[in-house]
Amino acid sequence: MENYHEYLEIRPDLPRRRRDLSLLPEMPLDVLLEILSHLEPKDLLNMSRANKDFRRALLKPSMMHVLWRAKRVEKGAPEPPAGFSEAKWVAFLFNSFCYSCATPNVRTDFFILRRLCIACKKLEYVSNENFSGFYPNLDSSILNFVPYTFYPPTTSKEEGDYGYHWSGDIDALCRVWTQYEPRVTAGLAAAQEGWEAHLNEQTAKIEQMQEAAILPEANQKLNDKNSIKEARINLVRQCFYELGYEQPDIEEVVNWDTPELKNSTAKITDRIWRNLRAKLEPQVVSAMEARLYADTLDTKFLRMAFLMESWNAWLATLNVPKLELLKYPQERDLWYLPAVCAVLDAPEDAILDFQPVINDFPNIAEAFIFTKREEMRRLVPIANLSGRTVDPLELATSVFSLPETLPPYPAQTLTYPPVAIGWKILSVCHLFAYEEEAERMGFNIEMPVYYDFDERLSRVAAYLVAQVGLDPHVATAANMDDLRERFICRLCAQQHPQYGRCLISVPALTWRAAVEHSRTHHQEVGYSFEVLRTAALQEQVHILERRQSDRNNHVKQSHYCNRCLAGSNEGKPDWFTKVQVHLYTRHNILMPVEDEDYIFNELDHHKVEMPSQVLYGFERA
């Protein structure tokens, strides 16, 4: 035994048998195909480059159909174009290095069937713009027979303004022409026909490349990535299913467009899942809340539709002036009234009785108007009031402006005046904003809002009231209207380029228009108005305004019949002449009286009060 151990110590190490794949190409074809069929296209390409034996075994003609074509079909790739074998086409689709300089991770351009890096494109792309620099002795018409792409050298996502050609394709066409040129120049008809046939082949080839370019671009390498991504999506969905979330909410968040799943692998480890859950679970919860909210809205909309049908039928039975009906709540107003909310918010399976709400419509309308008036009264600062103030909303200094938080909804900002003074106009304005909770869920649900009290414009109004000798704590908007005073904006007059005493054309503003003018033109500066005292100018202004009013009666739909709900235009404002005809034919009124038989749409005052231009003597230092 000791001798044996001594022998082991002095025995030389036997060389280990080297393991290699040298016999793999010599295997029976069916066995070899079974092995190779489990490899990805990129692995097959790497094997074909390993040594000459593998290359011969993988690229022999018998392998083109049974191996390379099978791999192409398996990956959903299209047929190879002319000039490409099955193996070359697979290499073109699944490799990612530049054909010219071997730069890795380069995008393929299927319009010219090349994979080129940016540097090579900048160096070798030829267009009509730089053709003469590359080929000074050639006519640029040769480019009509060379494949082209619209993607410029610097990007493969946005198309350029003209085509780009690979210089190698131009050189190849030039080499063909070099073969034909002597014979064509000599006038040989066969050579001319051969050259024209070659150009026709080139044209057909280019057309085929352009038509087929989109399909391979969409399919290139996507099948492998898609299968991995699909497995990843299913694993993440399964994890959320196990947490108790429902399928619609999970699929809303975890899908092909989820950016968090873009760059991960198919395998979801505990660490990856923790990171994904932290990012995706809040989104799943939001999707669940939005779905439940949408279900609730559907129920509320159905109930509201029934109530609105009853509400409109009730309005049609009323014998009240149109001016009063315009104050009544609209659908968005009713939606938020307590009596209606009790019905809308009832459980989905509740047995509802709408009749008590329908019977209470008169009280609902009255309470809405009363509440709105009281809420807006509370917006008027106490400093603007005195013991002699009758109604805060009727004061000339109670100026309200459109809220800055209104949604960007053109119809609303065009319909309602930017400045509102007096309950008469405030009562018929039904503004809305979007409900924050619904907006967070992705829904635009309109909720009623009020005008904001505008302290700056209130000071402007107080200044105008004082200018005509009235007390700002007592003077009402009606008092100011009755005076029919007109004002000149001194700030605008001072902007006139002439100096010294001069006649300038300036707008003569009503007091309401002066307040709005200060908001529109001098928001960031002070205000300075002058009362138009000259009797001749006052008369001139009044004549111009009467003419403007007559024109407005014929060109603006701003009047309602005050005797019925439908009026002359299905409840909408109409031209004055049409309202007159309606009053005569329907109500037998020949000489209608404003505010009794017909009313002017208060919302249009700011549109029709166009100031008249007068020549005013002004001295500028």
Side-chain angles (χ1 to χ4, degrees):
M1 183 63 68
E2 292 179 0
N3 293 336
Y4 176 74
H5 286 293
E6 291 176 0
Y7 164 74
L8 290 179
E9 291 176 359
I10 63 174
R11 186 191 66 175
D13 292 335
L14 297 176
R16 293 186 178 181
R17 183 177 179 182
R18 184 180 178 183
R19 296 181 180 180
D20 59 39
L21 299 176
S22 59
L23 296 179
L24 188 61
E26 308 301 328
M27 284 186 177
L29 182 60
D30 56 342
V31 177
L32 181 60
L33 286 177
E34 180 64 27
I35 296 173
L36 297 179
S37 65
H38 294 284
L39 298 181
E40 293 294 326
K42 215 163 190 178
D43 297 327
L44 289 175
L45 294 171
N46 291 334
M47 284 187 64
S48 68
R49 301 187 188 105
N51 56 47
K52 294 180 180 179
D53 293 332
F54 279 126
R55 185 173 184 81
R56 279 195 297 268
L58 293 176
L59 297 183
K60 56 187 177 182
S62 60
M63 283 292 192
M64 290 299 161
H65 183 80
V66 296
L67 179 61
W68 296 104
R69 183 181 182 281
K71 279 297 170 185
R72 175 180 62 78
V73 173
E74 177 186 322
K75 298 302 178 182
E79 293 283 340
F84 280 79
S85 66
E86 291 284 357
K88 184 178 178 181
W89 184 236
V90 170
F92 180 78
L93 293 176
F94 294 95
N95 279 329
S96 61
F97 53 81
C98 174
Y99 270 17
S100 180
C101 66
T103 298
N105 301 321
V106 176
R107 290 178 66 89
T108 301
D109 193 327
F110 286 90
F111 289 95
I112 58 175
L113 295 178
R114 292 284 187 278
R115 186 183 301 108
L116 303 166
C117 67
I118 293 177
C120 292
K121 290 178 183 178
K122 288 182 177 179
L123 189 64
E124 300 293 343
Y125 263 13
V126 180
S127 65
N128 281 318
E129 192 177 52
N130 63 0
F131 179 82
S132 59
F134 276 84
Y135 302 96
N137 300 322
L138 289 180
D139 190 286
S140 61
S141 61
I142 194 175
L143 295 179
N144 295 329
F145 306 99
V146 179
Y148 63 91
T149 178
F150 284 109
Y151 294 110
T154 55
T155 179
S156 56
K157 296 181 179 179
E158 297 182 4
E159 296 184 0
D161 297 328
Y162 35 74
Y164 297 88
H165 309 261
W166 176 241
S167 61
D169 292 333
I170 301 176
D171 294 338
L173 187 59
C174 289
R175 287 193 294 271
V176 176
W177 168 244
T178 302
Q179 298 173 5
Y180 280 100
E181 184 180 16
R183 291 175 291 161
V184 171
T185 306
L188 297 178
Q192 182 65 34
E193 292 175 0
W195 172 242
E196 290 179 358
H198 181 75
L199 293 182
N200 291 335
E201 290 177 5
Q202 281 291 109
T203 302
K205 175 184 175 182
I206 293 170
E207 290 177 357
Q208 291 175 359
M209 290 170 65
Q210 292 292 318
E211 292 175 0
I214 303 300
L215 184 60
E217 189 173 36
N219 284 291
Q220 181 197 15
K221 302 183 181 179
L222 284 182
N223 288 284
D224 291 341
K225 294 181 179 179
N226 288 349
S227 60
I228 294 174
K229 189 169 183 178
E230 184 176 4
R232 184 163 63 246
I233 290 172
N234 291 333
L235 285 172
V236 175
R237 285 178 176 177
Q238 185 60 39
C239 291
F240 277 112
Y241 290 143
E242 293 173 0
L243 292 176
Y245 292 103
E246 296 188 17
Q247 180 177 352
D249 309 322
I250 297 173
E251 292 182 353
E252 176 71 20
V253 176
V254 184
N255 50 50
W256 288 89
D257 298 323
T258 305
E260 289 82 1
L261 301 179
K262 184 176 180 180
N263 296 320
S264 292
T265 60
K267 185 178 180 182
I268 303 296
T269 63
D270 290 342
R271 183 179 63 83
I272 292 176
W273 165 238
R274 284 195 299 269
N275 292 335
L276 289 175
R277 181 178 179 182
K279 296 176 182 178
L280 298 179
E281 189 167 20
Q283 300 178 40
V284 175
V285 172
S286 297
M288 177 183 66
E289 292 174 349
R291 176 177 57 83
L292 296 176
Y293 188 80
D295 293 342
T296 303
L297 280 182
D298 289 342
T299 303
K300 295 174 74 170
F301 282 140
L302 289 174
R303 295 171 179 176
M304 194 65 195
F306 178 82
L307 275 179
M308 285 305 300
E309 185 178 349
S310 302
W311 174 263
N312 292 329
W314 174 71
L315 290 179
T317 64
L318 300 180
N319 187 23
V320 296
K322 180 70 174 183
L323 182 60
E324 290 301 313
L325 288 176
L326 293 176
K327 301 176 184 179
Y328 279 29
Q330 297 184 351
E331 180 175 356
R332 71 173 70 97
D333 302 313
L334 290 170
W335 183 284
Y336 289 93
L337 296 180
V340 178
C341 283
V343 174
L344 298 183
D345 296 334
E348 187 174 355
D349 56 352
I351 300 176
L352 298 179
D353 184 3
F354 292 92
Q355 198 58 44
V357 178
I358 296 173
N359 294 340
D360 202 36
F361 277 165
N363 293 329
I364 289 175
E366 183 179 351
F368 170 79
I369 298 172
F370 176 81
T371 302
K372 180 178 180 179
R373 189 163 192 168
E374 290 302 311
E375 290 288 340
M376 301 207 71
R377 280 173 175 166
R378 281 195 281 269
L379 296 177
V380 180
I382 297 177
N384 286 26
L385 310 178
S386 72
R388 294 178 295 159
T389 301
V390 179
D391 186 346
L393 293 182
E394 300 302 339
L395 287 176
T397 57
S398 294
V399 183
F400 294 82
S401 294
L402 285 174
E404 295 181 358
T405 56
L406 286 185
Y409 186 62
Q412 180 167 219
T413 54
L414 293 175
T415 300
Y416 295 109
V419 175
I421 306 173
W423 173 246
K424 186 176 181 180
I425 187 170
L426 289 170
S427 63
V428 298
C429 291
H430 300 273
L431 302 180
F432 73 88
Y434 290 136
E435 186 181 302
E436 290 185 5
E437 181 186 6
E439 200 167 19
R440 182 174 60 84
M441 303 284 187
F443 302 93
N444 291 332
I445 303 299
E446 300 172 1
M447 61 178 295
V449 294
Y450 298 145
Y451 275 85
D452 289 336
F453 185 84
D454 196 315
E455 294 186 3
R456 180 183 177 277
L457 295 185
S458 177
R459 292 193 296 270
V460 175
Y463 169 80
L464 297 173
V465 171
Q467 285 280 84
V468 299
L470 299 180
D471 183 358
H473 294 89
V474 178
T476 64
N479 297 148
M480 292 293 290
D481 292 337
D482 293 339
L483 290 177
R484 301 186 66 194
E485 296 286 6
R486 300 297 180 263
F487 298 84
I488 303 297
C489 177
R490 295 183 63 85
L491 295 178
C492 291
Q494 289 172 356
Q495 296 174 1
H496 199 276
Q498 295 187 19
Y499 288 85
R501 185 73 181 177
C502 59
L503 286 176
I504 59 175
S505 177
V506 292
L509 305 164
T510 67
W511 77 277
R512 293 176 184 267
V515 172
E516 186 172 337
H517 176 86
S518 179
R519 177 184 187 269
T520 306
H521 295 85
H522 308 295
Q523 184 72 28
E524 303 299 330
V525 296
Y527 44 87
S528 179
F529 294 94
E530 181 179 327
V531 182
L532 188 64
R533 298 294 188 186
T534 308
L537 287 179
Q538 289 178 340
E539 184 60 26
Q540 177 188 349
V541 169
H542 293 154
I543 292 173
L544 293 173
E545 288 178 351
R546 281 196 295 271
R547 290 176 181 172
Q548 181 66 38
S549 177
D550 291 340
R551 284 195 295 269
N552 289 334
N553 288 340
H554 292 85
V555 299
K556 290 189 180 294
Q557 294 174 283
S558 300
H559 291 81
Y560 290 100
C561 171
N562 202 33
R563 293 289 183 176
C564 62
L565 179 64
S568 59
N569 192 24
E570 298 180 349
K572 301 175 184 177
D574 205 351
W575 286 283
F576 178 63
T577 52
K578 289 192 174 182
V579 175
Q580 283 182 308
V581 172
H582 167 79
L583 286 169
Y584 178 71
T585 56
R586 176 71 184 273
H587 304 288
N588 198 28
I589 299 175
L590 182 60
M591 301 292 292
V593 179
E594 187 172 4
D595 289 341
E596 181 178 337
D597 301 315
Y598 70 91
I599 59 173
F600 180 79
N601 184 12
E602 292 294 325
L603 303 182
D604 283 348
H605 265 302
H606 70 293
K607 300 178 185 177
V608 301
E609 280 191 357
M610 303 296 293
S612 303
Q613 295 291 128
V614 296
L615 290 174
Y616 188 69
F618 182 77
E619 184 171 358
R620 182 180 178 191

